[in-house]
Amino acid sequence: MATASVAAAYVNNDGGATVTSGSFDVVTDDLIVVVGNADTAGDTTDITWAISDNQVPDLTYTLIAERDGTDGIESGVIAWYHKVAGNITGLTITIAVVGFTDSPAIKVYKITGYDTTDIVGAQTEGDWTSSGQQTGNITAETAGIGILVATDWNQNGTPTSADTTETGFDTAGDISGMSGYRTLVAAASENADMTPATGTPNGNYLWFEIRTAAGGATAWGPLIGLKNNRLVQEAH
């Protein structure tokens, strides 16, 4: 069963072009999920994102999804993952943004028990334009982890999401944003709420699934006989 935790809490750089996460440790086969937020200059802004870290060479990150002014409305959101190949102590990750954009933010999750061969499941994205709005629905492919990331260009204070284990941030004058996670129910229609502290939001969101590993608890059938004077059950 997949489980998630926050490896590095939100950090934002109000008015800047780069932001670096706090330091954290990972071990072989951990999955790192990095989410990012950024400001834009308008509805047509195309953000160029870059991700790097303090390793030599940099780790390789796979894009899950991104959304900015060319896809929706003001603001940007993005997510990547990296499957850890060996133990790392003191890892930090940096996001940089280029274009008519600034004020990047970063948060990092660590996930275990995920599907190592098919990592990302159902996903959706969209505009965030009302208080308490639900994301679009995804049909969960597994009992995996749903991750939400959203940016409010109107900067209506630190947002919340009652449907997820969530934290958010609020800059001095550019954007606010949030990200949260929760365990999904396989084959269920799943969404999550997005609620600003006040006012009407204007921004973009991503909502996606990290698939859980196949298997789980063994299902035992009826008693089928004796072996070495011990009862034997059929496993299936």
Side-chain angles (χ1 to χ4, degrees):
M1 179 69 70
T3 59
S5 61
V6 176
Y10 254 127
V11 181
N12 68 84
N13 182 4
D14 190 8
T18 65
V19 65
T20 298
S21 75
S23 174
F24 61 98
D25 303 335
V26 289
V27 299
T28 302
D29 289 335
D30 280 349
L31 186 73
I32 298 168
V33 176
V34 183
V35 298
N37 312 70
D39 186 20
T40 64
D43 288 353
T44 60
T45 301
D46 184 14
I47 300 174
T48 299
W49 303 82
I51 186 169
S52 60
D53 52 53
N54 62 346
Q55 303 301 293
V56 180
D58 284 336
L59 305 177
T60 300
Y61 299 86
T62 300
L63 179 68
I64 298 173
E66 64 176 305
R67 186 177 177 87
D68 58 30
T70 60
D71 308 299
I73 50 182
E74 289 102 338
S75 80
V77 284
I78 195 166
W80 300 266
Y81 73 80
H82 170 77
K83 183 180 174 183
V84 178
N87 297 359
I88 303 173
T89 300
L91 177 62
T92 62
I93 300 174
T94 298
I95 292 176
V97 292
V98 179
F100 292 100
T101 177
D102 63 7
S103 299
I106 185 172
K107 183 179 181 180
V108 185
Y109 296 100
K110 182 166 59 177
I111 297 177
T112 60
Y114 62 96
D115 186 336
T116 59
T117 60
D118 190 6
I119 293 173
V120 181
Q123 59 182 293
T124 190
E125 62 184 60
D127 299 343
W128 179 22
T129 57
S130 63
S131 179
Q133 177 183 331
Q134 301 292 128
T135 65
N137 292 328
I138 58 173
T139 300
E141 297 176 6
T142 68
I145 303 296
I147 297 179
L148 164 70
V149 55
T151 305
D152 179 11
W153 188 83
N154 281 352
Q155 199 229 337
N156 288 297
T158 303
T160 58
S161 174
D163 294 331
T164 65
T165 300
E166 174 267 352
T167 56
F169 67 92
D170 185 37
T171 64
D174 278 331
I175 58 171
S176 54
M178 65 175 173
S179 181
Y181 68 93
R182 79 154 186 264
T183 301
L184 304 175
V185 176
S189 181
E190 299 274 15
N191 57 35
D193 75 290
M194 304 172 288
T195 305
T198 186
T200 300
N202 186 64
N204 291 304
Y205 72 83
L206 306 175
W207 169 236
F208 58 90
E209 172 192 4
I210 300 297
R211 292 168 50 90
T212 197
T218 302
W220 292 98
L223 296 172
I224 58 175
L226 292 170
K227 183 177 181 180
N228 297 328
N229 293 319
R230 294 183 179 181
L231 293 172
V232 177
Q233 281 182 291
E234 180 183 12
H236 56 82

